[in-house]
Amino acid sequence: MRYSNGNVANRVNQKICDLHFTADNVRHRLPRLFPIALCAALIGCPIFLAGVPPSGAATTGDSGGVEAMVRQINAVRRKEHLRLLQLDARLCAIARSHALDMLARNFIGHTNPDGLDPFARMARAHYRFGYAGENLAVDDTLDEVARDFFASPEHRENLLEPHFSRVGIGTVPSSNGEIVVEDFSD
C-alpha cells in the first residue's frame, strides 16, 4: 500500500499483499489467487490465518533478520542510485504492532477489522509523513519474503520508491510462516 497522488491498485496473491492508495481511481488486479482469496478480495474481507503466539518482544521481531532485509533493500537501492533507507524505530513499532494485530485477530490485510489502514495507524501513532507505503507478506522465512517482495512489481515499486527514506519492519512467527510488515515513509 502506498499513499501519494496516483490511483488505487489492489494486488493480493497467496504469499504477498500490496495496495497502492490514492484518491483518483480504483482498479483491481487479482492474479493467481486461490478461489477463497479471490472471493475475500472481491467482497473486501481479509484473508484469514491460523496463528500461534509470537515469540520474543523485540520491537521489530527478528531484529537480525530485519537488519539483513534492510541491507538487501539498500543494496538494490544503491545499484539504482537511490538514497538508502534508514531503519526507523517508530515505524518498526507501527509495523510490529500491525503484525501482532493480524496474528491476534487472525487476519492479513492492509486494513484491520477496525477499518484502520497503514496511514491511519501512522497518524494514530502521531507519525508524520508526506509519502508512505506498506508491504505485507507471509512466508516460511524472511529470506523468502525478501525474494517475494523483489519479484513482485508492486512491492518492488515500494522498495525502490525514491520518496521513501525510512523503513520500519515488523515480523511475527505464525503457524503459516513469518508475518512481515514493511512500513515506509519519506
Side-chain angles (χ1 to χ4, degrees):
M1 179 175 253
R2 183 172 47 134
Y3 179 81
S4 63
N5 293 325
N7 57 24
V8 177
N10 186 5
R11 181 176 187 272
V12 180
N13 73 29
Q14 57 193 325
K15 287 189 176 182
I16 51 183
C17 178
D18 182 54
L19 177 68
H20 300 278
F21 177 79
T22 60
D24 294 342
N25 63 34
V26 177
R27 65 186 162 91
H28 295 275
R29 283 182 267 155
L30 302 168
R32 300 184 335 223
L33 291 175
F34 288 114
I36 193 157
L38 178 59
C39 292
L42 289 174
I43 63 172
C45 294
I47 299 170
F48 290 91
L49 299 173
V52 296
S55 61
T59 302
T60 60
D62 176 5
S63 62
V66 165
E67 290 168 2
M69 289 182 80
V70 174
R71 283 192 303 273
Q72 289 173 340
I73 295 166
N74 280 337
V76 176
R77 288 180 69 91
R78 186 177 291 112
K79 288 178 186 175
E80 299 290 328
H81 306 288
L82 297 168
R83 82 179 132 175
L84 303 184
L85 297 177
Q86 300 298 311
L87 193 59
D88 183 296
R90 289 183 61 211
L91 275 179
C92 286
I94 294 165
R96 173 87 168 148
S97 176
H98 186 54
L100 288 167
D101 184 36
M102 289 190 291
L103 180 67
R105 296 205 274 175
N106 202 30
F107 78 99
I108 186 166
H110 291 288
T111 302
N112 70 19
D114 300 326
L116 298 175
D117 65 19
F119 319 113
R121 291 190 306 273
M122 288 178 195
R124 182 174 271 188
H126 304 286
Y127 190 88
R128 296 184 59 183
F129 60 89
Y131 289 87
E134 180 173 82
N135 285 343
L136 299 178
V138 179
D139 211 332
D140 292 333
T141 67
L142 293 179
D143 286 339
E144 290 174 356
V145 169
R147 261 192 311 276
D148 291 344
F149 281 156
F150 276 109
S152 160
E154 290 85 359
H155 292 88
R156 185 178 178 89
E157 186 177 331
N158 272 346
L159 294 167
L160 301 180
E161 169 57 53
H163 291 101
F164 295 155
S165 62
R166 300 184 177 284
V167 63
I169 301 173
T171 67
V172 176
S174 80
S175 61
N176 291 325
E178 200 73 24
I179 300 171
V180 179
V181 178
E182 293 180 332
D183 284 333
F184 304 92
S185 76
D186 50 356

